Amino acid sequence: TTDVRITCNECNDNEDCNLNGECKRDGSCDCSKDIDGRTFLGPHCEVILKDNCRTIIGERYNESYSVIDIDWLGSGQVWEAYNRPIYKYNLGSGNPSFDGTDDLLLLMYSGSRWFGLHFIDGAGVNIFTEEYRESTTYAIKNYHAFWDEVYTMSTIIVSDPVPRTGFTPVGVDFFTIGERGEQFGPFGVKLPLQLHNQTGRGAYRCSSSD
């Protein structure tokens, strides 16, 4: 037999917020937003986002991604999915496949990987305008890698599985997607994105030293 115990995912005191925020009366954690250059995310403020990693830079193309600071979610913090910050590609920063377009490329976490999701048809210009506020907010709040079919053509970059402490894409190996089809794995052929194709090098670094 197996014993199963179900408990509410609520806090009772500040220790339940990892001392990185305050436990509110409704049982939720109000995470600290700027403590010694760090912002805390997650239901128990367990995820650490350092200021120097709010923008990350790819080593191969020198392209950059930045967290999204729009308070549409009511948290007063950065946009997140599965307790990890969402990074948006900065158009014109170096990737030859996207510069000169108005496409959108997001690095989003789900399950155990980071996914590079590519949206076309002016999404890079429109998705964060007031006109699309409701639909964009709904999509982010209800994001799920399986239900949103990110294993399909919308994923053009994918990471190795990352440990639970992998709070940002930094220090993680990434791959671009090549051929797809029944012969290949669920993502298709994975081509290393690391400089010199080195395993374990990691594709991205923080924009400045800690």
Side-chain angles (χ1 to χ4, degrees):
T1 62
T2 301
D3 294 329
V4 177
R5 185 178 66 177
I6 299 175
T7 59
C8 293
N9 190 26
E10 297 178 348
C11 62
N12 294 308
D13 52 43
N14 291 346
E15 289 187 359
D16 291 335
C17 302
N18 288 286
L19 301 179
N20 295 326
E22 295 184 359
C23 181
K24 300 191 298 185
R25 290 185 177 181
D26 63 1
S28 64
C29 290
D30 183 15
C31 300
S32 301
K33 299 174 178 61
D34 186 12
I35 302 295
D36 297 327
R38 298 177 298 172
T39 294
F40 299 95
L41 309 172
H44 295 283
C45 310
E46 70 277 18
V47 174
I48 303 172
L49 174 63
K50 298 179 180 179
D51 283 354
N52 66 315
C53 290
R54 294 175 75 89
T55 293
I56 60 175
I57 298 174
E59 193 174 24
R60 170 165 284 184
Y61 298 115
N62 205 39
E63 79 278 19
S64 67
Y65 298 76
S66 297
V67 297
I68 302 169
D69 288 301
I70 301 179
D71 191 22
W72 286 355
L73 300 182
S75 63
Q77 300 186 33
V78 300
W79 278 46
E80 56 183 290
Y82 290 92
N83 308 325
R84 302 294 193 278
I86 299 173
Y87 285 83
K88 176 177 176 289
Y89 174 70
N90 297 317
L91 290 174
S93 66
N95 190 320
S97 300
F98 293 96
D99 291 342
T101 74
D102 55 5
D103 291 353
L104 176 69
L105 177 59
L106 299 178
L107 293 181
M108 297 178 64
Y109 181 86
S110 181
S112 61
R113 298 177 186 265
W114 289 90
F115 295 85
L117 304 181
H118 179 209
F119 303 91
I120 61 175
D121 298 330
V125 176
N126 297 323
I127 194 170
F128 295 110
T129 61
E130 192 65 30
E131 178 183 357
Y132 288 86
R133 175 172 180 165
E134 183 176 349
S135 58
T136 299
T137 301
Y138 178 86
I140 295 298
K141 284 184 174 181
N142 294 278
Y143 166 68
H144 188 282
F146 178 79
W147 301 117
D148 289 328
E149 299 182 335
V150 299
Y151 280 74
T152 62
M153 298 299 290
S154 61
T155 294
I156 62 171
I157 301 172
V158 68
S159 77
D160 267 344
V162 300
R164 293 183 62 185
T165 54
F167 299 147
T168 73
V170 172
V172 182
D173 284 354
F174 275 77
F175 306 86
T176 57
I177 306 300
E179 296 177 82
R180 302 176 190 257
E182 294 181 356
Q183 173 184 342
F184 311 109
F187 296 106
V189 175
K190 297 191 298 182
L191 307 173
L193 193 56
Q194 289 69 247
L195 191 65
H196 310 308
N197 297 332
Q198 291 179 328
T199 300
R201 186 182 184 102
Y204 302 102
R205 59 177 172 84
C206 297
S207 61
S208 61
S209 58
D210 193 355

